Amino acid sequence: MKFRLPLLIIGISLYSSTQAQKVQYGFTTALNLSSVSGTGMSSKLQPGFEAGVFAAIKLTNKISIQPELLYNLSKLSRTDNFTTYYVTGSRYASSKSFNIAYLSIPVLINYRINKTLTINAGPQYNLLVYENENLMYNKDAIKKNDMGLRAGVQFT
């Protein structure tokens, strides 16, 4: 896979920096809102769930690096005109909505504004681990992996 080398470099960097820095570990859960873009797919925000573990590696009093390992479950919907766009390969009798789950690996840079408020952002790799869609005959309609950006606000 083409993402192995960057992940290995990040992992080695995080390991070496944890030897001299304060590290905090923990569990995380969240309700997320997601949408999918694509012809014949509904771009309406759908609720989902995520849970996982994280390690926060303190670099300075204000800045830390936070790698995470998350399980994301999302619900997606196709539009009524899906078969119009994919005439030769689509399944007309497919479900209008379906679930997908990704194993996500974000590496966030955290900036602590004060004792309770932190903002974070960074790259995220996603690997599809579950899908119950049957939109197409003999091919997948959902990507098996992707990269993206993640950002958020954290209250502690």
Side-chain angles (χ1 to χ4, degrees):
M1 261 204 290
K2 56 185 165 186
F3 299 112
R4 285 187 184 169
L5 184 59
L7 289 176
L8 179 64
I9 292 170
I10 289 170
I12 291 170
S13 300
L14 293 176
Y15 176 76
S16 63
S17 65
T18 61
Q19 300 306 309
Q21 305 296 330
K22 184 178 178 184
V23 179
Q24 294 178 316
Y25 300 94
F27 297 100
T28 181
T29 61
L31 174 66
N32 60 28
L33 297 172
S34 61
S35 68
V36 65
S37 61
T39 306
M41 298 299 291
S42 174
S43 61
K44 186 174 83 171
L45 287 175
Q46 299 279 347
F49 174 81
E50 80 178 17
V53 294
F54 71 92
I57 304 159
K58 188 175 178 181
L59 301 177
T60 70
N61 286 337
K62 297 259 185 200
I63 298 173
S64 61
I65 295 176
Q66 183 172 313
E68 299 179 351
L69 181 61
L70 305 170
Y71 178 81
N72 289 297
L73 182 63
S74 299
K75 183 177 182 177
L76 302 178
S77 299
R78 68 170 176 83
T79 58
D80 290 333
N81 63 356
F82 181 82
T83 56
T84 304
Y85 297 109
Y86 303 98
V87 175
T88 58
S90 64
R91 294 173 49 102
Y92 184 75
S94 65
S95 299
K96 183 163 174 136
S97 64
F98 53 93
N99 295 317
I100 61 171
Y102 281 95
L103 186 61
S104 300
I105 305 168
V107 179
L108 305 173
I109 302 294
N110 294 341
Y111 180 76
R112 182 175 292 279
I113 295 173
N114 56 38
K115 289 184 179 186
T116 59
L117 182 64
T118 303
I119 57 173
N120 54 43
Q124 175 172 299
Y125 173 73
N126 300 303
L127 176 64
L128 184 68
V129 293
Y130 171 77
E131 63 181 315
N132 69 347
E133 63 90 8
N134 58 353
L135 297 173
M136 308 288 282
Y137 288 111
N138 299 325
K139 69 182 203 180
D140 295 324
I142 306 297
K143 286 184 178 181
K144 298 294 182 199
N145 57 48
D146 68 8
M147 290 286 290
L149 295 175
R150 182 179 182 103
V153 178
Q154 202 170 308
F155 297 97
T156 55

